[in-house]
Structures are given as C-alpha cells and as structure tokens.
Amino acid sequence: MAEVLRPEMLDISNDTSSLASPELLHVLAVDDSIVDRKFIERLLRVSSCKVTVVDSATRALQYLGLDGDNSSVGFQINLIMTDYSMPGMTGYELLKKIKESSAFREIPVVIMSSENILPRIDRCLEEGAEDFLLKPVKLADVKRLRDSLMKAEERVFKNIMHKRELEANDIYSQLKRAKI
Amino acid sequence: MQRQVALIKQSLFDQGYLDEQFIELEELQDDANPNFVEEVATLYFKDSARLISNIEQALERGSFDFNRLDNYMHQFKGSSTSIGASKVKTECTMFREYCRVGNAEGCLRTFKQLKKEHATLRKKLEQYFQASK
C-alpha cells in the first residue's frame, strides 16, 4: 500500500532567519574615541551597513547579552569592529570573550588600531580575528570587508538553497513512487 | 565665495595643517549629510579641549607622570589622525617621544607648540566652514 506522505513528516529546514538580508550587514562598532565613533559609523552607513556603535568593550558585551545580565534581545550582528586600545577592557580582551562564547564565536571580529605593531597583529589573528585594520580606516577597507562577508553569506545561502532543492527533488521522487 | 573656500582649503593643505584624511572625510559627505565634516571637526575640538585641559593639569602638578601624559597624547594623536590634523599629529608624536625618554622640558616645549598649532587649525577651519555655507 502506498505510503501517504504528509507535509509534517518532511523535515525541510525553512529557517534562513540566521541570515541577514544580503544587502544589510549589521555591524557593531566599538571605540572609546568620540571622533572615531562618528567616523566609523559614517563609513559603515555609506557602505550600506546597519550600525550600532558603543563606547566600550563592556557596553559591547552588554549589548550582546554576554555580561551575565541575559538581557540580550533577538537581533542579528554580522560583524564586530573594535578598537584595540581602550581603557578597561581592550579590544583584544573583547575578541577573546566573543570567541569563547558559543552564541557569538562565529561572528567575525575585526580589530582596528592606530599602531602597526606586528606582535599585536599576530596575537589578534591567532585569537581568531577576521582582520586587523590600521587607523584611520579607509572606505576601501570597509567595502573590502563587506564584500568578503557578503560572499561568505552568499555561499551559506546558496548551500541552504541547494540543500532545499535536493530535498524537494527527493520528495518529488517519493511522491511519484507513491503515485500521488 | 566658492573661490574663497577653495583658497582657504588649498592653504590648509599647502601649509601642512591638513592631510589626505581630511579629503577622505569630505568624500563621506553627501546631500543627505552635508555637514558631516563640520560635525566631526566640532567633536574633535570639543574632545581635544578636554584633553588639553587634562594635560595642563597633569603638567601643573610638577611631578611628571609620563605614563599618564603619554596616555592622553595617544588619544589626542588618534583623534587628530582621524580628522587629518597633520601638524597637531606631529606635535603629539614628538610629545610622546619626550615622554618615552622622560624629558620633561621637551614635553613642556612641545605642548606649547601643540596648543599653538591646535588653535591655528581651529581658527582656519572655522573660517573654512563659514565660507562654505
């Protein structure tokens, strides 16, 4: 007897909510300098990114809900750009905290610094930083970052769509066989 | 008026007060954000006034905390770099060098020069923005 395939038996993941709309990367920028905050915010807006700017690593952790307060709202951050030298918690320490977190370790973190210190750069890259940018950050740097992140997202998106296609084909064959 | 704007701007670059970072800032300006550069400049002068005051207080104390002074200068240099304030940036670098070798006299001298450059830049930029309106 032909087995009837009901929709609920099919396990197709319809969840692409983890992907931001391809046009709109949401960036969290962290810098203790008010001038640099204004500057990076503008750079990112001009590059068609959604921007949230905070003035310290502590506030960044609060925003992400990683400060133990657990007040994190449901939002999507696609990239974190942080200054290296900040009072209190440095950008390097923030990077480590993010990479230690199961919820956020996949988010690319870019370090910005006015100082071209090779051991510093190495340390950050070793800790999992996506990139290290010398200040002042250029529009070209942001565009390059954005393009490479969007390509990565596009790959993920394409993989999901391909998977769906395969699953749909699979269902179709099963339906055919069941002569529905 | 346009010509005056161009002249002021040219002299700022020719005399080394501004570098290409200022041009980067101008490229971020558009019809929807026509005052971006002036806004950044305003923030810069407000912030650097605070730093100058902090440094002055630190120097007045007589005992030179070079670490603390260097810290202030690091911030000052950073924001000066971001706005393209070339001469001010150079003075910041020199000041930090004097901090590094613990030369109080050098710090005082450089700081005086820095304040001068900073004041001049402020005046010239005010002229520039006024003429641009």
Side-chain angles (χ1 to χ4, degrees):
Chain A
M1 197 134 113
E3 191 181 305
V4 177
L5 290 168
R6 283 188 297 271
E8 55 265 28
M9 283 175 68
L10 309 172
D11 183 37
I12 302 176
S13 170
N14 212 16
D15 180 23
T16 51
S17 59
S18 59
L19 296 173
S21 136
E23 294 82 34
L24 221 56
L25 291 179
H26 185 179
V27 185
L28 176 64
V30 192
D31 202 314
D32 63 310
S33 158
I34 192 168
V35 173
D36 287 350
R37 280 200 299 278
K38 175 106 178 152
F39 178 52
I40 196 76
E41 182 189 40
R42 184 73 191 138
L43 271 184
L44 290 166
R45 289 245 159 89
V46 162
S47 309
S48 312
C49 294
K50 181 171 175 215
V51 196
T52 300
V53 197
V54 295
D55 64 2
S56 72
T58 310
R59 279 217 223 279
L61 291 176
Q62 274 170 10
Y63 181 79
L64 294 169
L66 280 178
D67 62 337
D69 215 19
N70 250 344
S71 51
S72 131
V73 196
F75 54 75
Q76 181 60 31
I77 294 284
N78 305 108
L79 168 66
I80 297 170
M81 294 182 75
T82 178
D83 187 26
Y84 183 93
S85 311
M86 295 187 289
M89 197 186 299
T90 66
Y92 175 69
E93 287 157 356
L94 175 62
L95 165 68
K96 283 209 289 192
K97 282 236 146 70
I98 289 166
K99 292 305 168 187
E100 278 162 18
S101 129
S102 49
F104 296 107
R105 70 163 63 103
E106 293 306 315
I107 302 181
V109 181
V110 170
I111 310 282
M112 305 178 284
S113 174
S114 54
E115 291 164 310
N116 194 1
I117 299 173
L118 281 178
R120 174 184 288 187
I121 300 175
D122 283 338
R123 217 185 318 141
C124 290
L125 294 176
E126 265 161 38
E127 203 60 43
E130 175 82 13
D131 205 344
F132 189 101
L133 298 176
L134 227 45
K135 283 178 159 188
V137 177
K138 299 276 186 285
L139 191 58
D141 292 327
V142 174
K143 291 204 157 143
R144 184 173 44 85
L145 253 181
R146 179 179 164 258
D147 287 346
S148 100
L149 283 180
M150 289 204 335
K151 277 211 184 82
E153 293 238 334
E154 207 182 295
R155 268 200 300 273
V156 173
F157 188 71
K158 278 189 179 149
N159 281 341
I160 290 181
M161 295 311 284
H162 182 57
K163 187 171 168 227
R164 278 199 203 169
E165 214 180 287
L166 290 174
E167 285 167 342
N169 285 340
D170 192 38
I171 293 160
Y172 180 69
S173 326
Q174 292 186 52
L175 286 172
K176 263 183 89 175
R177 266 179 273 129
K179 290 199 171 72
I180 289 170
Chain B
M1 215 38 170
Q2 280 287 68
R3 182 158 162 72
Q4 196 186 9
V5 172
L7 283 174
I8 298 176
K9 187 166 161 189
Q10 195 55 49
S11 101
L12 280 166
F13 279 93
D14 287 345
Q15 292 174 33
Y17 282 100
L18 293 176
D19 60 33
E20 62 280 358
Q21 177 60 16
F22 191 80
I23 308 224
E24 292 273 334
L25 288 179
E26 291 198 312
E27 294 193 339
L28 296 174
Q29 216 159 243
D30 59 22
D31 291 335
N33 298 268
N35 302 311
F36 173 69
V37 186
E38 192 176 352
E39 286 164 11
V40 179
T42 304
L43 279 176
Y44 170 70
F45 285 111
K46 191 162 152 212
D47 193 49
S48 50
R50 173 186 65 89
L51 286 167
I52 286 175
S53 161
N54 285 342
I55 294 166
E56 249 158 7
Q57 284 176 27
L59 290 172
E60 261 158 39
R61 268 185 226 121
S63 63
F64 278 68
D65 183 346
F66 289 112
N67 266 337
R68 189 190 208 129
L69 288 169
D70 183 69
N71 206 330
Y72 287 136
M73 267 308 158
H74 173 79
Q75 293 176 53
F76 206 150
K77 185 178 169 198
S79 50
S80 301
T81 305
S82 295
I83 195 181
S86 183
K87 284 197 179 194
V88 177
K89 184 171 100 178
T90 302
E91 298 300 329
C92 292
T93 305
M94 281 221 293
F95 189 102
R96 293 188 78 194
E97 260 312 295
Y98 284 123
C99 282
R100 201 174 60 84
V101 300
N103 183 339
E105 163 68 41
C107 284
L108 286 168
R109 241 183 313 128
T110 310
F111 186 54
K112 208 164 148 203
Q113 184 64 17
L114 186 152
K115 281 192 287 185
K116 196 163 143 244
E117 302 294 359
H118 181 258
T120 305
L121 177 66
R122 182 178 207 147
K123 207 170 94 199
K124 286 182 183 268
L125 278 179
E126 267 164 25
Q127 280 173 355
Y128 175 68
F129 291 127
Q130 263 303 102
S132 305
K133 291 208 203 306

